[in-house]
């Protein structure tokens, strides 16, 4: 007989990118975000879950568009340092608090089960860090290269890009004490 494969939880698509739209492609990229949300919803409906990093910006705009056209499954993965700010925006999504810092949140979100794809539009060095982590976890990355920024490969990430408190913990900079 045939075996049934039971998947626990929905397949997830991570949406990453900048906290704002920048550069000459900004207006076009706003349209791309709406177009992408509509087309993905037409393809998948409520059979997938959208995952974002929980900060304001391009991924959140995607999630709000997704929600406005009937998308029910959005998960915001928020660090405790941004929890109050996230809650103040009163968003209609479920959320989980993971890690005290944004770096800890980035590491955790890239290890979530069932992430099938990570889509990036624009973004800075921390989006590049997420792409590196997703790549290490063998998650397919889809960058909108023409949007520039991390998605365009122009935002390098290295250990010196860590937030100062993370560099201190890692011994990359000396304490002022």
């Amino acid at each position: 007989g045939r075996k049934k494969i039971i998947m626990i939880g929905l397949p997830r698509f991570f949406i990453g990118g900048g906290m704002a739209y920048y550069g000459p492609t900004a207006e076009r990229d706003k349209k791309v975000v709406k177009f992408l949300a509509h087309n993905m919803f037409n393809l998948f409906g409520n059979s997938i879950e959208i995952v974002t990093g929980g900060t304001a910006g391009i991924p959140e705009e995607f999630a709000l568009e997704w929600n406005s056209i009937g998308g029910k499954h959005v998960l915001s993965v928020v660090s405790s340092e941004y929890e109050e700010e996230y809650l103040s925006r009163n968003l209609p999504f479920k959320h989980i608090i993971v890690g005290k810092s944004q770096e800890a949140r980035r590491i955790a979100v890239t290890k979530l089960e069932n992430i099938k794809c990570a889509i990036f539009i624009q973004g800075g060095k921390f989006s590049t860090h997420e792409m590196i982590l997703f790549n290490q976890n063998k998650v397919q990355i889809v960058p909108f290269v023409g949007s520039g920024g991390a998605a365009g490969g122009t935002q390098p990430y290295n250990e010196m890009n860590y937030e100062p408190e993370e560099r201190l913990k890692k011994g990359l900079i000396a304490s002022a004490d």
Side-chain angles (χ1 to χ4, degrees), residues 24-136:
T25 64
E27 289 307 310
R28 184 207 60 199
D29 294 342
K30 288 178 186 178
K31 293 176 186 160
V32 166
V33 166
K34 287 186 181 212
F35 177 82
L36 183 62
H38 284 257
N39 280 294
M40 284 179 63
F41 188 77
N42 288 340
L43 280 171
F44 301 112
N46 281 306
S47 69
I48 65 171
E49 181 173 54
I50 300 301
V51 177
T52 74
T55 57
I58 293 171
E60 185 174 289
E61 287 191 23
F62 178 98
L64 287 166
E65 188 68 23
W66 180 264
N67 183 259
S68 77
I69 55 179
K72 295 186 184 333
H73 309 294
V74 176
L75 174 64
S76 296
V77 181
V78 183
S79 68
S80 61
E81 70 179 332
Y82 279 90
E83 181 178 13
E84 192 176 317
E85 189 268 339
Y86 176 83
L87 294 173
S88 74
R89 294 197 312 277
N90 200 29
L91 297 165
F93 317 129
K94 69 181 175 179
H95 72 281
I96 56 173
I97 305 302
V98 179
K100 291 182 179 177
S101 69
Q102 284 295 88
E103 182 195 6
R105 184 216 45 88
R106 286 193 297 276
I107 291 167
V109 77
T110 58
K111 292 180 178 179
L112 279 177
E113 291 184 5
N114 290 336
I115 293 188
K116 304 302 180 192
C117 178
I119 300 167
F120 287 87
I121 300 159
Q122 293 198 358
K125 61 190 174 219
F126 300 128
S127 292
T128 299
H129 187 215
E130 286 173 327
M131 285 192 263
I132 291 166
L133 295 167
F134 277 122
N135 187 52
Q136 290 170 354

Side-chain angles (χ1 to χ4, degrees), residues 100-101 103 163-173:
K100 291 182 179 177
S101 69
E103 182 195 6
E163 295 88 342
E165 65 277 5
E166 293 300 322
R167 295 199 320 249
L168 182 62
K169 278 190 235 162
K170 292 177 178 297
L172 296 170
I173 56 175

Side-chain angles (χ1 to χ4, degrees), residues 140-162:
Q140 181 66 48
I141 299 166
V142 179
F144 279 78
V145 176
S147 69
T154 62
Q155 291 291 316
Y157 181 84
N158 62 52
E159 294 240 314
M160 295 315 290
N161 292 137
Y162 286 131

